[in-house]
Amino acid sequence: MFVLVNLKAYPCDPVEIAEAAADVSDETGVRVAVAPQAAHLPAVAETGVETWAQHVSPVEHGSHTGSTLAEAVADAGAAGTLINHSEARRKLADIDASLDAAERADLETVVCANNPDQVGAAAALGPDAVAVEPPELIGTGTPVSKADPDIVTDAVDAAAAVDESVDVFCGAGISTGDDLDAAADLGATGVLLASGVAKADDPRAALEDLVEPLA
């Protein structure tokens, strides 16, 4: 299982969380990555944790003020990027172009989707993984694996019907080791989470609890 912690724009210490994630990953052997704000990518990468961007823009080098260039993200230390998070939705053509940009920069990719139909459409674009995240559950502490487990199994089936090489991750409401176990039982090979770690009083303890079933 892959654990990807999205720090969004929460008022947390990205380096503290990155150091905790690196330690937990080293101690347990579980793959844990952290996706901070773009300005914090170098500092997070310096901790040694696997570092991801929250977004890359569908552009090449050129006149694109305000864009997040995939090559710049990679130069800052990122190994991968989220695309089309529900809080940063993109048109299908832009998702495709962002995937092209990530491929140019040799970044691993996870395309987020709201439901199994969108998962199938996203998988057809050839990302490394898709993540099903019903937006109404994001930040609630109620995981989709419990609220509506059929969404996860249907997403796994939808991706497999298009391209069996595309992994399916589970997001929205993930916060405990039980949530991670449930996602795995439904066929997911990774999880996305944010507030369960970024807003935790003790991010290290939250991460340790999360990966405990895998340790």
Side-chain angles (χ1 to χ4, degrees):
M1 289 290 282
F2 176 39
V3 176
L4 178 53
V5 182
N6 177 14
L7 301 185
K8 301 190 177 184
Y10 287 132
C12 58
D13 184 337
V15 172
E16 177 189 4
I17 292 176
E19 289 174 342
D23 288 346
V24 169
S25 182
D26 288 344
E27 291 164 4
T28 63
V30 177
R31 183 184 175 197
V32 181
V34 175
Q37 287 284 297
H40 298 146
L41 283 168
V44 166
E46 284 179 7
T47 68
V49 76
E50 183 175 335
T51 303
W52 279 53
Q54 296 180 11
H55 165 76
V56 294
S57 300
V59 299
E60 300 180 0
H61 287 281
S63 303
H64 304 294
T65 301
S67 297
T68 302
L69 188 67
E71 287 83 354
V73 162
D75 288 345
T81 185
L82 293 170
I83 295 171
N84 196 50
H85 190 276
S86 65
E87 295 161 358
R89 303 285 291 167
R90 296 294 181 266
K91 296 179 180 179
L92 196 64
D94 288 337
I95 296 171
D96 197 19
S98 288
L99 284 167
D100 288 343
E103 185 176 4
R104 287 198 318 268
D106 198 26
L107 294 170
E108 193 172 342
T109 52
V110 175
V111 175
C112 299
N114 289 352
N115 56 56
D117 288 340
Q118 291 183 13
V119 164
L125 300 177
D128 294 295
V130 291
V132 61
E133 287 194 304
E136 65 273 15
L137 295 177
I138 292 175
T140 64
T142 301
V144 62
S145 56
K146 292 181 180 177
D148 193 346
D150 286 346
I151 289 179
V152 181
T153 54
D154 289 350
V156 171
D157 291 342
V162 174
D163 186 344
E164 291 185 347
S165 70
V166 175
D167 285 325
V168 176
F169 298 164
C170 177
I174 302 291
S175 61
T176 69
D178 287 343
D179 298 340
L180 195 137
D181 253 353
D185 289 343
L186 294 170
T189 57
V191 295
L192 270 60
L193 72 156
S195 58
V197 172
K199 297 174 74 173
D201 292 334
D202 187 340
R204 181 183 296 270
L207 282 165
E208 289 173 342
D209 175 68
L210 183 73
V211 305
E212 191 274 333
L214 304 178

